[in-house]
Amino acid sequence: MSVKYEGFSAEERAAMKEHAREQKQAARRATRADKAEQAAQDVLAKIAEMDGADRASAERVHAVITASAPGLEPRLWYGMPAYALDGKVVCFFQSAAKFKARYATLGFNDPAKLDDGAMWPTAFALTEVTPEVEARIADLVTRAIA
């Protein structure tokens, strides 16, 4: 049985276009301080665009990450709020609406130092950001940049 390649979904193509726009905007900014300040504002604006539960979760995740790891710089990454160290995205928040998923996701990229043996999680489903979840996020982010 032959499986036909359908290509990227509309959501995936939109994310790639958003990433290209983000890169162009960042390149136009004058200084490193200007870039960092504008990138942080871009993240807050992206969070403000989200609906309901996604927005509430993204606001809490943003607050926890910026408080727990002030060395991480907020920026957009494929249209998602992300947090970078030395220019490399360590973690990101993906809203449920982004790819029409049933839950939001907190993801970690390979610069995150979460290694635990031969296998460890790099993404976490978020259905609600409770105080316990906030504590877990703070711990993960702190370990990720240790």
Side-chain angles (χ1 to χ4, degrees), residues 8-86:
F8 293 109
S9 69
E11 293 82 8
E12 290 167 329
R13 284 191 300 278
M16 288 185 281
K17 286 178 183 178
E18 253 181 312
H19 183 61
R21 270 193 307 277
E22 294 159 10
Q23 296 300 309
K24 288 177 187 176
Q25 284 178 333
R28 285 189 217 117
R29 295 187 180 126
T31 66
R32 181 165 167 70
D34 289 342
K35 289 179 183 183
E37 182 179 326
Q38 186 59 51
Q41 290 174 8
D42 292 346
V43 166
L44 293 174
K46 181 59 73 175
I47 291 170
E49 291 175 6
M50 294 177 189
D51 290 329
D54 279 339
R55 183 175 56 244
S57 292
E59 287 170 347
R60 293 306 314 140
V61 167
H62 178 77
V64 170
I65 291 173
T66 56
S68 302
L72 290 178
E73 295 181 350
R75 61 178 273 200
L76 291 178
W77 185 65
Y78 292 94
M80 296 177 282
Y83 305 86
L85 183 64
D86 299 327

